[in-house]
Amino acid sequence: MKEQIIRLSELMEYHQVKEVYRNRIACFRMDNRLVNIDTIPPAFADIFSFVLVQKGTAVFSLNCRERTVCPGDLLLFWPSLLVSLNCQSDNFTALHLLCERELFEHLLSTRPAYQTYSLFFCQTDFPVLRLSDADAEALARSMEEISRHILRPGNYQEDILHHLLHTCLLQVLELIEGQTPTRPAALTHAEVLFQRFITLLTRHYKEEHCIAFYANSLSVSTTYLSRIIRQTTQKTAGYFITGLLYAEACRLLLHTDLSIQAIADRLHFSDQSAFGKFFKANAGLSPQQFRTNGQRSEACSSPQAEQPPVPTTKN
């Protein structure tokens, strides 16, 4: 695992996990029997995942900030988070549920309730929830059921797993909303608009790189949409657009044999030169250098600037 951005399939191979379904959903137990549990370096995993601590303690580093977790703690990870497991007690045990980014993005774009995740991930500095014993036990049962059905092939296995995953994600949403009492019962206009922006973005980021498209689709001005996004998340629209484009570009460079031109076309840049300028502005080196010169782990980090140059799109 030399890459600093890794996919679900690589992580499962690294830990030799069997509880994985089509490299899209995985759910397994983390303890001292897990292969390579002591050697998890910092990585931007191209995955959404939850870790429910059941026994012992562990020290996780999230965006270079350490946090000791104990039984009843639920950690929520998303692709833009730099994560490592620094150390753990001998009796450390946790359940780990993982969902491939592309699958989770699809859920975000098709299930309105899931948009709460977007707000939570954007507004929290340290994504750890403290659960009651009853809530921890209920969530553990749901995660264990997913793990069992991953290992139980059948005609309706995929449908069953999607149903169980949906149930589990809704359970976590209830826990998130239950621990944010300062938020109003109804979403503000700004939060609703941001959620609609995220829904559009997850559907169209490969084709539409400019905020004007999203503002027009939402029937607001670009200035107004930019202000609402910053007001809601303390980040710019470019941060979200560029983040998704950059993560997908890294994935295609590292895990496909597509040419640089083909990747530029797939991500709807005007030409290979425009894609190269965008990638170098964020990675510090060209796409070809990133792919071939052994500096991938250093290059595949979050974009260097919050508002990088707007990429040139195709007409």
mmCIF file of all heavy atoms in Angstrom, residues 1-36:
data_model
loop_
_atom_site.group_PDB
_atom_site.id
_atom_site.type_symbol
_atom_site.label_atom_id
_atom_site.label_comp_id
_atom_site.label_asym_id
_atom_site.label_seq_id
_atom_site.Cartn_x
_atom_site.Cartn_y
_atom_site.Cartn_z
ATOM 1 N N MET A 1 0.839 -1.195 0.000
ATOM 2 C CA MET A 1 0.000 0.000 0.000
ATOM 3 C C MET A 1 0.871 1.240 0.000
ATOM 4 O O MET A 1 1.021 1.921 0.985
ATOM 5 C CB MET A 1 -0.916 0.020 1.226
ATOM 6 C CG MET A 1 -2.234 -0.632 0.969
ATOM 7 S SD MET A 1 -3.523 -0.249 2.171
ATOM 8 C CE MET A 1 -2.672 0.321 3.599
ATOM 9 N N LYS A 2 1.508 1.530 -1.130
ATOM 10 C CA LYS A 2 2.372 2.701 -1.209
ATOM 11 C C LYS A 2 1.588 3.955 -1.547
ATOM 12 O O LYS A 2 2.014 5.048 -1.217
ATOM 13 C CB LYS A 2 3.463 2.457 -2.260
ATOM 14 C CG LYS A 2 4.414 1.323 -1.882
ATOM 15 C CD LYS A 2 5.466 1.138 -2.957
ATOM 16 C CE LYS A 2 6.432 0.017 -2.611
ATOM 17 N NZ LYS A 2 7.451 -0.187 -3.648
ATOM 18 N N GLU A 3 0.451 3.788 -2.256
ATOM 19 C CA GLU A 3 -0.330 4.953 -2.643
ATOM 20 C C GLU A 3 -0.962 5.605 -1.423
ATOM 21 O O GLU A 3 -1.318 4.935 -0.457
ATOM 22 C CB GLU A 3 -1.431 4.562 -3.635
ATOM 23 C CG GLU A 3 -0.890 4.082 -4.964
ATOM 24 C CD GLU A 3 -0.508 2.628 -4.917
ATOM 25 O OE1 GLU A 3 -0.843 1.975 -3.925
ATOM 26 O OE2 GLU A 3 0.138 2.163 -5.856
ATOM 27 N N GLN A 4 -1.106 6.913 -1.500
ATOM 28 C CA GLN A 4 -1.740 7.629 -0.411
ATOM 29 C C GLN A 4 -3.237 7.760 -0.642
ATOM 30 O O GLN A 4 -3.980 8.117 0.255
ATOM 31 C CB GLN A 4 -1.117 9.014 -0.226
ATOM 32 C CG GLN A 4 -1.083 9.439 1.226
ATOM 33 C CD GLN A 4 -0.370 10.754 1.422
ATOM 34 O OE1 GLN A 4 0.261 11.285 0.512
ATOM 35 N NE2 GLN A 4 -0.460 11.292 2.608
ATOM 36 N N ILE A 5 -3.695 7.465 -1.849
ATOM 37 C CA ILE A 5 -5.115 7.289 -2.102
ATOM 38 C C ILE A 5 -5.316 5.826 -2.446
ATOM 39 O O ILE A 5 -4.693 5.310 -3.377
ATOM 40 C CB ILE A 5 -5.626 8.169 -3.259
ATOM 41 C CG1 ILE A 5 -5.690 9.632 -2.825
ATOM 42 C CG2 ILE A 5 -7.020 7.727 -3.689
ATOM 43 C CD1 ILE A 5 -6.267 10.563 -3.871
ATOM 44 N N ILE A 6 -6.153 5.136 -1.684
ATOM 45 C CA ILE A 6 -6.361 3.710 -1.904
ATOM 46 C C ILE A 6 -7.841 3.426 -2.070
ATOM 47 O O ILE A 6 -8.690 4.147 -1.563
ATOM 48 C CB ILE A 6 -5.794 2.867 -0.743
ATOM 49 C CG1 ILE A 6 -6.394 3.338 0.582
ATOM 50 C CG2 ILE A 6 -4.283 2.930 -0.725
ATOM 51 C CD1 ILE A 6 -6.023 2.463 1.750
ATOM 52 N N ARG A 7 -8.145 2.357 -2.768
ATOM 53 C CA ARG A 7 -9.519 1.958 -3.011
ATOM 54 C C ARG A 7 -9.894 0.790 -2.123
ATOM 55 O O ARG A 7 -9.040 0.131 -1.514
ATOM 56 C CB ARG A 7 -9.719 1.600 -4.486
ATOM 57 C CG ARG A 7 -9.327 2.726 -5.427
ATOM 58 C CD ARG A 7 -10.001 2.580 -6.761
ATOM 59 N NE ARG A 7 -11.399 2.991 -6.674
ATOM 60 C CZ ARG A 7 -12.346 2.544 -7.497
ATOM 61 N NH1 ARG A 7 -12.052 1.664 -8.422
ATOM 62 N NH2 ARG A 7 -13.577 2.963 -7.374
ATOM 63 N N LEU A 8 -11.185 0.505 -2.073
ATOM 64 C CA LEU A 8 -11.686 -0.544 -1.194
ATOM 65 C C LEU A 8 -11.034 -1.875 -1.505
ATOM 66 O O LEU A 8 -10.652 -2.622 -0.607
ATOM 67 C CB LEU A 8 -13.209 -0.628 -1.330
ATOM 68 C CG LEU A 8 -13.944 -1.492 -0.299
ATOM 69 C CD1 LEU A 8 -15.332 -0.935 -0.018
ATOM 70 C CD2 LEU A 8 -14.068 -2.928 -0.761
ATOM 71 N N SER A 9 -10.892 -2.202 -2.784
ATOM 72 C CA SER A 9 -10.307 -3.486 -3.161
ATOM 73 C C SER A 9 -8.875 -3.628 -2.653
ATOM 74 O O SER A 9 -8.466 -4.709 -2.201
ATOM 75 C CB SER A 9 -10.326 -3.643 -4.690
ATOM 76 O OG SER A 9 -9.621 -2.579 -5.312
ATOM 77 N N GLU A 10 -8.099 -2.557 -2.700
ATOM 78 C CA GLU A 10 -6.712 -2.597 -2.222
ATOM 79 C C GLU A 10 -6.663 -2.763 -0.705
ATOM 80 O O GLU A 10 -5.828 -3.503 -0.179
ATOM 81 C CB GLU A 10 -5.992 -1.314 -2.617
ATOM 82 C CG GLU A 10 -5.883 -1.118 -4.114
ATOM 83 C CD GLU A 10 -5.430 0.281 -4.472
ATOM 84 O OE1 GLU A 10 -5.773 1.231 -3.755
ATOM 85 O OE2 GLU A 10 -4.738 0.406 -5.480
ATOM 86 N N LEU A 11 -7.541 -2.077 -0.016
ATOM 87 C CA LEU A 11 -7.571 -2.177 1.438
ATOM 88 C C LEU A 11 -7.948 -3.581 1.878
ATOM 89 O O LEU A 11 -7.367 -4.132 2.823
ATOM 90 C CB LEU A 11 -8.564 -1.161 2.005
ATOM 91 C CG LEU A 11 -8.485 -0.895 3.509
ATOM 92 C CD1 LEU A 11 -7.129 -0.295 3.878
ATOM 93 C CD2 LEU A 11 -9.600 0.033 3.946
ATOM 94 N N MET A 12 -8.895 -4.199 1.176
ATOM 95 C CA MET A 12 -9.297 -5.567 1.522
ATOM 96 C C MET A 12 -8.165 -6.555 1.256
ATOM 97 O O MET A 12 -7.946 -7.495 2.027
ATOM 98 C CB MET A 12 -10.540 -5.970 0.729
ATOM 99 C CG MET A 12 -11.776 -5.115 1.033
ATOM 100 S SD MET A 12 -12.256 -5.058 2.778
ATOM 101 C CE MET A 12 -11.445 -3.540 3.323
ATOM 102 N N GLU A 13 -7.453 -6.337 0.166
ATOM 103 C CA GLU A 13 -6.311 -7.208 -0.128
ATOM 104 C C GLU A 13 -5.206 -7.015 0.907
ATOM 105 O O GLU A 13 -4.564 -7.976 1.343
ATOM 106 C CB GLU A 13 -5.770 -6.899 -1.524
ATOM 107 C CG GLU A 13 -4.597 -7.781 -1.941
ATOM 108 C CD GLU A 13 -4.103 -7.460 -3.333
ATOM 109 O OE1 GLU A 13 -4.725 -6.607 -4.011
ATOM 110 O OE2 GLU A 13 -3.083 -8.052 -3.745
ATOM 111 N N TYR A 14 -4.994 -5.775 1.321
ATOM 112 C CA TYR A 14 -3.952 -5.462 2.296
ATOM 113 C C TYR A 14 -4.220 -6.156 3.631
ATOM 114 O O TYR A 14 -3.308 -6.683 4.266
ATOM 115 C CB TYR A 14 -3.896 -3.948 2.478
ATOM 116 C CG TYR A 14 -2.823 -3.446 3.412
ATOM 117 C CD1 TYR A 14 -1.474 -3.537 3.073
ATOM 118 C CD2 TYR A 14 -3.158 -2.850 4.629
ATOM 119 C CE1 TYR A 14 -0.494 -3.053 3.909
ATOM 120 C CE2 TYR A 14 -2.175 -2.354 5.471
ATOM 121 C CZ TYR A 14 -0.846 -2.464 5.109
ATOM 122 O OH TYR A 14 0.130 -1.980 5.952
ATOM 123 N N HIS A 15 -5.486 -6.164 4.038
ATOM 124 C CA HIS A 15 -5.844 -6.795 5.310
ATOM 125 C C HIS A 15 -6.287 -8.250 5.143
ATOM 126 O O HIS A 15 -6.596 -8.914 6.139
ATOM 127 C CB HIS A 15 -6.976 -6.017 5.984
ATOM 128 C CG HIS A 15 -6.573 -4.680 6.513
ATOM 129 N ND1 HIS A 15 -5.508 -4.497 7.351
ATOM 130 C CD2 HIS A 15 -7.115 -3.440 6.319
ATOM 131 C CE1 HIS A 15 -5.402 -3.213 7.664
ATOM 132 N NE2 HIS A 15 -6.354 -2.561 7.043
ATOM 133 N N GLN A 16 -6.343 -8.734 3.887
ATOM 134 C CA GLN A 16 -6.790 -10.106 3.594
ATOM 135 C C GLN A 16 -8.179 -10.367 4.164
ATOM 136 O O GLN A 16 -8.442 -11.384 4.820
ATOM 137 C CB GLN A 16 -5.768 -11.127 4.106
ATOM 138 C CG GLN A 16 -4.407 -10.996 3.448
ATOM 139 C CD GLN A 16 -3.397 -12.015 3.920
ATOM 140 O OE1 GLN A 16 -3.763 -13.098 4.395
ATOM 141 N NE2 GLN A 16 -2.110 -11.694 3.810
ATOM 142 N N VAL A 17 -9.074 -9.424 3.898
ATOM 143 C CA VAL A 17 -10.443 -9.514 4.390
ATOM 144 C C VAL A 17 -11.305 -10.286 3.392
ATOM 145 O O VAL A 17 -11.216 -10.074 2.181
ATOM 146 C CB VAL A 17 -11.023 -8.097 4.611
ATOM 147 C CG1 VAL A 17 -12.523 -8.147 4.850
ATOM 148 C CG2 VAL A 17 -10.315 -7.425 5.779
ATOM 149 N N LYS A 18 -12.159 -11.165 3.902
ATOM 150 C CA LYS A 18 -13.052 -11.953 3.061
ATOM 151 C C LYS A 18 -14.458 -11.365 2.995
ATOM 152 O O LYS A 18 -15.209 -11.646 2.061
ATOM 153 C CB LYS A 18 -13.135 -13.388 3.584
ATOM 154 C CG LYS A 18 -11.810 -14.144 3.543
ATOM 155 C CD LYS A 18 -11.969 -15.554 4.075
ATOM 156 C CE LYS A 18 -10.644 -16.311 4.033
ATOM 157 N NZ LYS A 18 -10.783 -17.693 4.581
ATOM 158 N N GLU A 19 -14.804 -10.556 3.991
ATOM 159 C CA GLU A 19 -16.167 -10.026 4.055
ATOM 160 C C GLU A 19 -16.307 -8.795 3.171
ATOM 161 O O GLU A 19 -16.488 -7.662 3.651
ATOM 162 C CB GLU A 19 -16.545 -9.693 5.504
ATOM 163 C CG GLU A 19 -16.553 -10.891 6.426
ATOM 164 C CD GLU A 19 -15.220 -11.069 7.132
ATOM 165 O OE1 GLU A 19 -14.183 -10.581 6.604
ATOM 166 O OE2 GLU A 19 -15.201 -11.687 8.203
ATOM 167 N N VAL A 20 -16.219 -8.999 1.860
ATOM 168 C CA VAL A 20 -16.311 -7.897 0.906
ATOM 169 C C VAL A 20 -17.167 -8.358 -0.264
ATOM 170 O O VAL A 20 -17.020 -9.475 -0.760
ATOM 171 C CB VAL A 20 -14.918 -7.430 0.425
ATOM 172 C CG1 VAL A 20 -14.116 -8.587 -0.140
ATOM 173 C CG2 VAL A 20 -15.041 -6.306 -0.591
ATOM 174 N N TYR A 21 -18.083 -7.482 -0.709
ATOM 175 C CA TYR A 21 -18.999 -7.820 -1.798
ATOM 176 C C TYR A 21 -18.686 -6.967 -3.013
ATOM 177 O O TYR A 21 -18.871 -5.747 -3.004
ATOM 178 C CB TYR A 21 -20.448 -7.606 -1.358
ATOM 179 C CG TYR A 21 -21.461 -7.891 -2.450
ATOM 180 C CD1 TYR A 21 -21.771 -9.206 -2.790
ATOM 181 C CD2 TYR A 21 -22.093 -6.857 -3.135
ATOM 182 C CE1 TYR A 21 -22.686 -9.479 -3.787
ATOM 183 C CE2 TYR A 21 -23.004 -7.116 -4.133
ATOM 184 C CZ TYR A 21 -23.295 -8.439 -4.457
ATOM 185 O OH TYR A 21 -24.201 -8.711 -5.459
ATOM 186 N N ARG A 22 -18.183 -7.610 -4.054
ATOM 187 C CA ARG A 22 -17.916 -6.977 -5.354
ATOM 188 C C ARG A 22 -17.109 -5.692 -5.238
ATOM 189 O O ARG A 22 -17.284 -4.766 -6.030
ATOM 190 C CB ARG A 22 -19.231 -6.714 -6.098
ATOM 191 C CG ARG A 22 -19.974 -7.985 -6.478
ATOM 192 C CD ARG A 22 -21.194 -7.696 -7.326
ATOM 193 N NE ARG A 22 -21.835 -8.942 -7.734
ATOM 194 C CZ ARG A 22 -22.954 -8.998 -8.464
ATOM 195 N NH1 ARG A 22 -23.527 -7.863 -8.862
ATOM 196 N NH2 ARG A 22 -23.478 -10.152 -8.784
ATOM 197 N N ASN A 23 -16.240 -5.629 -4.260
ATOM 198 C CA ASN A 23 -15.387 -4.454 -4.038
ATOM 199 C C ASN A 23 -16.196 -3.166 -3.924
ATOM 200 O O ASN A 23 -15.708 -2.074 -4.244
ATOM 201 C CB ASN A 23 -14.355 -4.323 -5.161
ATOM 202 C CG ASN A 23 -13.306 -5.407 -5.085
ATOM 203 O OD1 ASN A 23 -12.923 -5.841 -4.003
ATOM 204 N ND2 ASN A 23 -12.846 -5.871 -6.236
ATOM 205 N N ARG A 24 -17.428 -3.286 -3.418
ATOM 206 C CA ARG A 24 -18.286 -2.113 -3.247
ATOM 207 C C ARG A 24 -18.707 -1.928 -1.791
ATOM 208 O O ARG A 24 -18.856 -0.813 -1.320
ATOM 209 C CB ARG A 24 -19.541 -2.219 -4.120
ATOM 210 C CG ARG A 24 -19.246 -2.417 -5.604
ATOM 211 C CD ARG A 24 -20.476 -2.170 -6.429
ATOM 212 N NE ARG A 24 -20.719 -0.736 -6.582
ATOM 213 C CZ ARG A 24 -21.839 -0.227 -7.067
ATOM 214 N NH1 ARG A 24 -22.834 -1.023 -7.399
ATOM 215 N NH2 ARG A 24 -21.989 1.078 -7.181
ATOM 216 N N ILE A 25 -18.932 -3.036 -1.097
ATOM 217 C CA ILE A 25 -19.349 -3.001 0.307
ATOM 218 C C ILE A 25 -18.491 -4.006 1.070
ATOM 219 O O ILE A 25 -18.259 -5.125 0.597
ATOM 220 C CB ILE A 25 -20.829 -3.374 0.470
ATOM 221 C CG1 ILE A 25 -21.723 -2.447 -0.350
ATOM 222 C CG2 ILE A 25 -21.243 -3.339 1.947
ATOM 223 C CD1 ILE A 25 -23.173 -2.904 -0.417
ATOM 224 N N ALA A 26 -18.027 -3.626 2.231
ATOM 225 C CA ALA A 26 -17.280 -4.541 3.091
ATOM 226 C C ALA A 26 -17.651 -4.268 4.542
ATOM 227 O O ALA A 26 -17.984 -3.132 4.903
ATOM 228 C CB ALA A 26 -15.771 -4.384 2.899
ATOM 229 N N CYS A 27 -17.613 -5.306 5.362
ATOM 230 C CA CYS A 27 -17.875 -5.139 6.785
ATOM 231 C C CYS A 27 -17.151 -6.262 7.523
ATOM 232 O O CYS A 27 -17.431 -7.435 7.294
ATOM 233 C CB CYS A 27 -19.367 -5.168 7.077
ATOM 234 S SG CYS A 27 -19.783 -4.613 8.750
ATOM 235 N N PHE A 28 -16.203 -5.885 8.379
ATOM 236 C CA PHE A 28 -15.378 -6.893 9.034
ATOM 237 C C PHE A 28 -14.967 -6.427 10.418
ATOM 238 O O PHE A 28 -15.120 -5.267 10.780
ATOM 239 C CB PHE A 28 -14.132 -7.182 8.190
ATOM 240 C CG PHE A 28 -13.239 -5.996 7.976
ATOM 241 C CD1 PHE A 28 -12.152 -5.752 8.821
ATOM 242 C CD2 PHE A 28 -13.466 -5.119 6.929
ATOM 243 C CE1 PHE A 28 -11.327 -4.654 8.626
ATOM 244 C CE2 PHE A 28 -12.637 -4.021 6.718
ATOM 245 C CZ PHE A 28 -11.570 -3.791 7.574
ATOM 246 N N ARG A 29 -14.438 -7.358 11.186
ATOM 247 C CA ARG A 29 -14.010 -7.067 12.542
ATOM 248 C C ARG A 29 -12.525 -6.702 12.547
ATOM 249 O O ARG A 29 -11.701 -7.387 11.936
ATOM 250 C CB ARG A 29 -14.254 -8.279 13.445
ATOM 251 C CG ARG A 29 -14.017 -8.008 14.929
ATOM 252 C CD ARG A 29 -14.464 -9.199 15.778
ATOM 253 N NE ARG A 29 -15.886 -9.498 15.566
ATOM 254 C CZ ARG A 29 -16.867 -8.837 16.152
ATOM 255 N NH1 ARG A 29 -16.592 -7.834 16.990
ATOM 256 N NH2 ARG A 29 -18.123 -9.161 15.919
ATOM 257 N N MET A 30 -12.205 -5.617 13.226
ATOM 258 C CA MET A 30 -10.819 -5.208 13.420
ATOM 259 C C MET A 30 -10.373 -5.648 14.815
ATOM 260 O O MET A 30 -10.939 -5.208 15.820
ATOM 261 C CB MET A 30 -10.682 -3.686 13.311
ATOM 262 C CG MET A 30 -11.072 -3.093 11.980
ATOM 263 S SD MET A 30 -10.966 -1.267 11.979
ATOM 264 C CE MET A 30 -9.186 -1.041 12.144
ATOM 265 N N ASP A 31 -9.382 -6.533 14.872
ATOM 266 C CA ASP A 31 -8.789 -6.928 16.154
ATOM 267 C C ASP A 31 -7.381 -7.409 15.886
ATOM 268 O O ASP A 31 -6.865 -7.279 14.762
ATOM 269 C CB ASP A 31 -9.638 -7.985 16.875
ATOM 270 C CG ASP A 31 -9.878 -9.241 16.027
ATOM 271 O OD1 ASP A 31 -9.037 -9.547 15.141
ATOM 272 O OD2 ASP A 31 -10.895 -9.913 16.251
ATOM 273 N N ASN A 32 -6.735 -7.992 16.882
ATOM 274 C CA ASN A 32 -5.328 -8.363 16.719
ATOM 275 C C ASN A 32 -5.120 -9.537 15.767
ATOM 276 O O ASN A 32 -3.984 -9.881 15.451
ATOM 277 C CB ASN A 32 -4.680 -8.652 18.080
ATOM 278 C CG ASN A 32 -5.385 -9.763 18.842
ATOM 279 O OD1 ASN A 32 -6.194 -10.501 18.287
ATOM 280 N ND2 ASN A 32 -5.085 -9.877 20.130
ATOM 281 N N ARG A 33 -6.213 -10.132 15.300
ATOM 282 C CA ARG A 33 -6.089 -11.214 14.313
ATOM 283 C C ARG A 33 -6.099 -10.687 12.881
ATOM 284 O O ARG A 33 -5.823 -11.431 11.942
ATOM 285 C CB ARG A 33 -7.238 -12.214 14.492
ATOM 286 C CG ARG A 33 -7.173 -13.003 15.806
ATOM 287 C CD ARG A 33 -8.448 -13.791 16.026
ATOM 288 N NE ARG A 33 -9.589 -12.887 16.232
ATOM 289 C CZ ARG A 33 -10.821 -13.310 16.482
ATOM 290 N NH1 ARG A 33 -11.081 -14.600 16.524
ATOM 291 N NH2 ARG A 33 -11.795 -12.414 16.668
ATOM 292 N N LEU A 34 -6.418 -9.409 12.712
ATOM 293 C CA LEU A 34 -6.486 -8.837 11.376
ATOM 294 C C LEU A 34 -5.083 -8.627 10.815
ATOM 295 O O LEU A 34 -4.220 -8.035 11.468
ATOM 296 C CB LEU A 34 -7.234 -7.504 11.419
ATOM 297 C CG LEU A 34 -7.469 -6.809 10.075
ATOM 298 C CD1 LEU A 34 -8.441 -7.609 9.219
ATOM 299 C CD2 LEU A 34 -8.007 -5.392 10.290
ATOM 300 N N VAL A 35 -4.861 -9.095 9.604
ATOM 301 C CA VAL A 35 -3.554 -8.964 8.963
ATOM 302 C C VAL A 35 -3.222 -7.488 8.762
ATOM 303 O O VAL A 35 -4.055 -6.697 8.313
ATOM 304 C CB VAL A 35 -3.548 -9.695 7.604
ATOM 305 C CG1 VAL A 35 -2.225 -9.459 6.869
ATOM 306 C CG2 VAL A 35 -3.791 -11.183 7.804
ATOM 307 N N ASN A 36 -2.010 -7.108 9.136
ATOM 308 C CA ASN A 36 -1.482 -5.749 8.945
ATOM 309 C C ASN A 36 -2.212 -4.689 9.758
ATOM 310 O O ASN A 36 -2.144 -3.505 9.423
ATOM 311 C CB ASN A 36 -1.523 -5.346 7.458
ATOM 312 C CG ASN A 36 -0.488 -6.084 6.635
ATOM 313 O OD1 ASN A 36 0.589 -6.396 7.125
ATOM 314 N ND2 ASN A 36 -0.815 -6.392 5.397
#
